[in-house]
Amino acid sequence: MSLRAWKFNDGDLDFIQKYYPDLYSVLEPTISSDRRSVAMTSDELWDRIENLFVDEIALSADKNGELTENGLKLEAILDFA
């Protein structure tokens, strides 16, 4: 059984590369040539990437606990993926 690839809108992976390089480095090996999807090669990779997204979103909160603009965008990217 193959896992569903994660889908991204134009520019999403560029945004992640610029603002979340640690997350991008995990996504990079399986990014499609059109930069619109990331192949999930195992359940472990799926879990690792999902956890990295959640961690980065949590770290994107301001001192009041509200998500920053980047955090909100990253959350929207995860919701779409």
Side-chain angles (χ1 to χ4, degrees), residues 16-17 20-31 48 52:
I16 293 169
Q17 183 177 16
Y20 302 96
D22 293 337
L23 173 57
Y24 183 81
S25 69
V26 176
L27 297 171
E28 187 174 27
T30 60
I31 293 174
R48 181 174 181 208
L52 284 170

Side-chain angles (χ1 to χ4, degrees), residues 1-2 4 16 21 26-27 35 51 59 66 69 72-73:
M1 175 179 94
S2 67
R4 176 187 67 80
I16 293 169
V26 176
L27 297 171
R35 296 180 61 82
N51 288 335
L59 292 171
E66 299 293 324
E69 186 175 327
L72 289 169
K73 181 171 175 90

Side-chain angles (χ1 to χ4, degrees), residues 31-43:
I31 293 174
S32 65
S33 61
D34 66 0
R35 296 180 61 82
R36 297 289 308 255
S37 66
V38 172
M40 292 295 144
T41 57
S42 69
D43 289 332

